Amino acid sequence: MMAEWLEALPRVRQVVGERNFETWIEPIHCVKDENGFVLQVSSRFFLEWVARHFLPVIRQALTMEGGPAPALRMAIAAAPAPEAAPRSPAPTDKPARSATPRPPKIGHLVADYTFDAFVVGEANEVACRAARSVTEAPGRRFNPLFVWGGVGLGKTHLINALAHELLNRRQRRRVACLAAETFMNSLISALRQHQMDAFRNGFREVDVLILDDVQFLAGKERTQEEFFHTFNALHTAGNQIVLTSDKPPHAIAELEQRLRSRFEGGLIADIHPPTSAMRVAIAKKKAALHGVELPLEVAQLVAQRSGPSVRELEGALTRVLATSALRGVPLDAALVETLLAPLDRNNRLSVEIIQERVSEHFHVSVGDLKSHRRDRAVTYARQIAMYLSRTMAEVSFPSIAEQFGNRDHSTVMHAVRAVEDRRRQDPTIGSVLLTLESELRSRAV
Ligand code: ADP
Ligand code: MG
């Protein structure tokens, strides 16, 4: 890209904010010809939107200090087809493919978030299969498709993969993929500038609307109302809607009932934390994307010693890969040992801290956790505290038993197994544990 454009980008980002930048500015391709700058975008809708909302900011950012405002215009350009080879004369009488304008793409896709790069396993199989099936026949079967799961478990990756797949197909569907927050921000500026028609038409013209993190709509009444109408218009026309959230529809507080029941009207698929086998596979795959073949032993150790979400796993892996590359040391288990010590060695995460945190979370006193009280709420909290002591503090069964009111160690073993089983079956426990785990981990460092 051109130097002037690259220099202007940070200034634009500062003014428009991160979300708008990703959605509207990043996808712009800027070129220069004898008449000045040309901002190329992929659709009419996109063009109108950028022209209305961001052109002045862009113009200002492109203006040299003390210089005149540069000549600037916008154009709809066909993005080069992904397989674009050096262009040679079309061999047949068919029109060249690049002559067909690309279907509109609202929002911003992450290029690396593809199905190829997504590891499928027990934890995300249903969601992944549903997403695949949506790409086969959008609007037909799972409509809406509602995918939910804890932070960093691959929701955004999955919907990006879905969008890429749709855009790569021959049907050239119109796909909008954006964060619920971006939807709201676009709505606010449309309202402010009396451009609701453009806003509505833009979203209602798409074949597939993908909205990420809809839990964000909680309590945003005006946005919910508008989205309800968008949803209905698309759904009635047989267009596909895909939503993600960090919780299931019934657990999103301050969500209008009519919207909730729309969300529940299709398929609800949840993503669980990955199993250890998946974690190993993910570590290997991510390393491969960096061009590194990760030895199995190293992958296993990284998978064991990183936080529960995939995002944390990736962070740990990046640290290991970067250290090996920068220091020129071999990528082996010894390196991982030095970088990622087990939690109980490099910090003071103790049974005591776990008990305190669990007690706060469930409103059960630490004394109760250590007591022999048997009512459900206390037993539940106690079992979770025992499970976390075992998995996060890596303390032995007898020692945990001792710190929970001198119990028998088989009670602890039973508790740990019970929580493990439930974690596999009940997504709610999964997300409770994930929350506690990441809080404890951040406390540990
Ligand atoms: P979420 O949207 O659920 O918070 P993301 O989709 O942002 O999570 O995922 C966080 C990171 O973990 C991303 O870099 C993503 O590529 C990676 N990730 C998550 N799940 C998988 C998976 N099954 N296979 C490969 N990478 C994954
Ligand atoms: Mg996300």
Side-chain angles (χ1 to χ4, degrees):
M1 277 239 194
M2 257 174 1
E4 290 110 312
W5 179 242
L6 290 180
E7 273 172 35
L9 284 176
R11 282 179 289 227
V12 178
R13 181 189 233 127
Q14 225 171 29
V15 178
V16 303
E18 197 57 35
R19 287 280 194 199
N20 277 326
F21 186 81
E22 277 180 16
T23 310
W24 304 106
I25 310 296
E26 250 177 13
I28 298 174
H29 186 75
C30 179
V31 296
K32 203 172 181 183
D33 63 13
E34 63 278 13
N35 295 321
F37 294 103
V38 187
L39 305 180
Q40 296 179 336
V41 294
S42 54
S43 70
R44 194 171 55 89
F45 172 70
F46 204 111
L47 184 147
E48 285 174 2
W49 196 271
V50 171
R52 284 206 185 107
H53 298 98
F54 306 120
L55 213 50
V57 180
I58 296 175
R59 176 168 290 120
Q60 200 175 6
L62 280 169
T63 307
M64 297 297 221
E65 200 151 349
L72 192 58
R73 60 187 207 284
M74 296 196 66
I76 298 170
E83 70 276 28
R87 192 107 38 93
S88 53
T92 61
D93 52 0
K94 274 194 253 147
R97 189 163 174 199
S98 57
T100 28
R102 216 169 177 226
K105 195 186 91 185
I106 305 177
H108 168 77
L109 295 183
V110 181
D112 293 343
Y113 287 178
T114 59
F115 277 120
D116 276 347
F118 197 69
V119 172
V120 185
E122 220 180 292
N124 58 15
E125 208 174 354
V126 175
C128 193
R129 236 190 281 140
R132 287 269 190 192
S133 141
V134 162
T135 65
E136 299 294 327
R140 297 273 183 73
R141 278 176 70 203
F142 306 130
N143 201 12
L145 169 62
F146 189 102
V147 176
W148 72 274
V151 173
L153 294 185
K155 303 179 294 293
T156 301
H157 187 140
L158 186 62
I159 55 166
N160 272 262
L162 195 164
H164 282 305
E165 183 71 25
L166 285 167
L167 291 169
N168 286 340
R169 293 197 170 222
R170 282 224 317 284
Q171 290 94 336
R172 314 204 128 238
R173 291 202 168 81
R174 294 164 300 179
V175 179
C177 178
L178 68 167
E181 189 181 351
T182 307
F183 181 85
M184 185 186 82
N185 291 339
S186 308
L187 171 65
I188 292 173
S189 39
L191 282 167
R192 239 185 242 146
Q193 307 182 26
H194 308 289
Q195 276 150 10
M196 283 305 293
D197 284 348
F199 177 87
R200 292 194 174 120
N201 294 339
F203 283 104
R204 291 173 198 182
E205 263 170 15
V206 301
D207 300 307
V208 181
L209 174 62
I210 308 173
L211 209 59
D212 201 6
D213 290 322
V214 294
Q215 78 278 355
F216 177 83
L217 299 179
K220 318 276 189 325
E221 281 166 33
R222 182 66 182 87
T223 311
Q224 285 185 28
E225 188 190 335
E226 193 59 36
F227 185 61
F228 179 73
H229 296 302
T230 305
F231 186 109
N232 286 345
L234 289 172
H235 200 261
T236 312
N239 296 326
Q240 177 73 43
I241 297 147
V242 179
L243 308 161
T244 79
S245 163
D246 66 359
K247 28 181 121 49
H250 69 82
I252 305 178
E254 293 187 77
L255 183 67
E256 274 184 56
Q257 185 49 41
R258 56 180 187 168
L259 208 46
R260 179 168 302 151
S261 69
R262 289 295 184 285
F263 289 0
E264 286 170 341
L267 180 78
I268 300 184
D270 56 344
I271 300 188
H272 299 234
T275 58
S276 18
M278 280 175 74
R279 292 171 65 83
V280 173
I282 292 171
K284 290 201 75 139
K285 180 150 263 176
K286 293 281 172 189
L289 289 173
H290 289 100
V292 175
E293 203 193 316
L294 201 63
L296 181 62
E297 191 197 14
V298 177
Q300 285 168 336
L301 206 54
V302 171
Q304 258 172 36
R305 294 201 173 178
S306 45
S309 78
V310 181
R311 195 169 287 148
E312 287 164 287
L313 170 65
E314 239 185 306
L317 176 69
T318 307
R319 221 175 125 201
V320 172
L321 295 180
T323 310
S324 155
L326 291 174
R327 292 206 209 130
V329 293
L331 191 57
D332 56 14
L335 173 67
V336 184
E337 289 278 356
T338 60
L339 291 175
L340 314 172
L343 275 178
D344 60 346
R345 257 210 262 145
N346 66 352
N347 57 57
R348 284 161 289 119
L349 191 59
S350 60
V351 171
E352 209 173 307
I353 291 181
I354 293 172
Q355 287 172 335
E356 273 168 24
R357 187 64 207 98
V358 169
S359 129
E360 279 164 33
H361 189 94
F362 293 106
H363 301 290
V364 167
S365 75
V366 173
D368 282 342
L369 291 179
K370 296 183 180 177
S371 76
H372 287 253
R373 278 184 58 186
R374 285 261 179 108
D375 44 302
R376 254 184 94 214
V378 175
T379 312
Y380 177 70
R382 185 184 297 128
Q383 289 194 332
I384 285 187
M386 287 176 170
Y387 169 84
L388 292 171
S389 301
R390 177 64 186 166
T391 53
M392 296 197 72
E394 296 182 31
V395 179
S396 71
F397 286 125
S399 156
I400 297 172
E402 195 192 309
Q403 297 180 69
F404 278 85
N406 278 322
R407 296 182 138 74
D408 190 273
H409 80 275
S410 66
T411 313
V412 183
M413 289 172 76
H414 169 77
V416 171
R417 222 173 297 130
V419 174
E420 260 165 12
D421 284 347
R422 259 183 286 161
R423 181 169 206 166
R424 240 173 277 127
Q425 286 152 17
D426 178 359
T428 314
I429 287 220
S431 54
V432 166
L433 287 171
L434 207 59
T435 311
L436 285 165
E437 282 161 348
S438 59
E439 281 174 11
L440 282 166
R441 214 165 282 270
S442 62
R443 179 170 301 205
V445 285

